[in-house]
Amino acid sequence: MGLEQILQFVITGITVGSTYALIGIGFNIIFNATEIINFAQGEFVMLGGMFTVFGMQVLRLPVPFAALLSIILVAFVGLLLNMLAIRPIRNPSPITLIIITIGASIFIRGASSLIWGKDPYPIAAFSGEDPIPFFGAVIQPQSLWVMGVVFAVVVALRQFLNRTITGKAMLASAFQPRAARLVGIDTPYMVLLSFALSGAVGAAAGIIIAPMSMVTYDMGVMMGLKGFCAAIVGGLGHPFGVVLGGLILGVMESLGAGLISSGYKDAIAFVILLLMLFFRPQGILGKGRGERV
């Protein structure tokens, strides 16, 4: 096996890992605001792809408008999840909240199978499928879209949280909810905003993944688990840790599938997750509650 093939595996791994990172960012947004691990995040990804297909095939919208419509709709689903399932519970335990998000995930997946059926839906690549040569390997144009969107989302979130009043209020609500309320910050609104933001990020992940793997009603299960693994490996709550965790998972999966067997692809991610939980449960860059951003 030559270096070109190894490079090809790494490029493929970075592409896949970028999608895991984007899904993991959605986990981070809600965790930082509420300490809830939202296991419906994978369904946000699925809905992002499904709503895009709906916009393109039923409403006949161009891809950019169908994608924008999808992001708005999934953000609204995030709002509904918070308003209808999370907010009405008084003083819930973390286990209760996790069970609620699992229940929401099952409900959304079931409703999607009734609405869209169980057939896969293809979406064409955004800018063609002609591979780009790269030192003996090739890069698919859609891979560049994936990496670019992840970079743009990370930068935009960083700027939003650190440069805007609303973003700083979200951080304050995450660090010290009681102190935030005392200074007049509407913490329930900040939690609501975090769910909407997480839904929008999940939709973006579903939109850019769709051309590489067709959209199905149950695609959110595995994608959500991989995004959760990325968040844990990199450091749950750490903005750059989740990106690092996603890239590590993606590259290790791709190398494992190429050098050993594709049958071990999913197992590799969960083995890495278990090793991380055994030896460094806070993740690679996680340093504790006080440094969450």
Side-chain angles (χ1 to χ4, degrees):
M1 182 172 293
L3 290 177
E4 292 82 2
Q5 284 181 296
I6 299 293
L7 178 60
Q8 187 64 62
F9 293 145
V10 172
I11 292 172
T12 303
I14 291 174
T15 303
V16 175
S18 296
T19 64
Y20 297 161
L22 196 53
I23 299 167
I25 289 171
F27 276 99
N28 264 3
I29 292 171
I30 291 181
F31 178 79
N32 278 345
T34 64
E35 294 192 342
I36 297 174
I37 296 174
N38 175 30
F39 281 103
Q41 188 65 34
E43 309 314 321
F44 291 166
V45 177
M46 178 272 293
L47 288 176
M50 284 295 188
F51 283 136
T52 304
V53 171
F54 175 78
M56 293 174 62
Q57 297 185 0
V58 178
L59 302 180
R60 303 295 181 185
L61 296 174
V63 174
F65 292 104
L68 180 61
L69 175 66
S70 175
I71 290 173
I72 294 171
L73 289 176
V74 181
F76 184 68
V77 172
L79 289 177
L80 291 179
L81 175 61
N82 175 261
M83 295 173 65
L84 301 180
I86 303 294
R87 185 179 290 188
I89 308 296
R90 291 185 178 275
N91 301 318
S93 67
I95 296 297
T96 302
L97 294 173
I98 288 174
I99 292 173
I100 289 173
T101 63
I102 292 174
S105 169
I106 295 171
F107 173 78
I108 294 172
R109 189 162 59 252
S112 299
S113 70
L114 291 176
I115 296 171
W116 289 293
K118 298 184 178 180
D119 294 331
Y121 294 92
I123 293 180
F126 297 164
S127 52
E129 297 181 353
D130 295 333
I132 302 168
F134 184 76
F135 294 106
V138 295
I139 301 176
Q140 295 295 330
Q142 191 63 30
S143 298
L144 298 179
W145 276 97
V146 171
M147 298 174 201
V149 168
V150 172
F151 178 77
V153 168
V154 170
V155 172
L157 278 176
R158 189 74 174 174
Q159 292 298 314
F160 169 72
L161 293 173
N162 292 331
R163 302 284 184 182
T164 67
I165 297 297
T166 304
K168 291 178 180 178
M170 283 185 69
L171 289 178
S173 299
F175 279 121
Q176 289 291 341
R178 181 175 297 178
R181 284 193 295 270
L182 289 174
V183 297
I185 295 175
D186 187 351
T187 52
Y189 172 73
M190 294 301 148
V191 172
L192 190 67
L193 184 60
S194 73
F195 272 82
L197 203 53
S198 177
V201 171
I207 293 166
I208 60 171
I209 291 170
M212 298 188 298
S213 62
M214 291 188 289
V215 184
T216 61
Y217 79 99
D218 59 351
M219 65 181 286
V221 177
M222 188 55 70
M223 297 307 296
L225 289 174
K226 296 294 182 65
F228 175 68
C229 289
I232 295 296
V233 169
L236 189 60
H238 195 286
F240 299 115
V242 66
V243 177
L244 178 62
L247 294 178
I248 290 174
L249 279 185
V251 172
M252 294 300 290
E253 270 191 10
S254 181
L255 289 174
L259 300 177
I260 303 175
S261 169
S262 59
Y264 296 118
K265 178 185 172 185
D266 293 331
I268 289 172
F270 297 120
V271 168
I272 294 173
L273 173 64
L274 289 175
L275 291 175
M276 188 58 66
L277 289 175
F278 283 141
F279 297 107
R280 190 173 170 81
Q282 72 271 35
I284 296 173
L285 299 183
K287 294 181 181 179
R289 182 186 178 91
E291 297 193 8
R292 292 186 310 172
V293 293

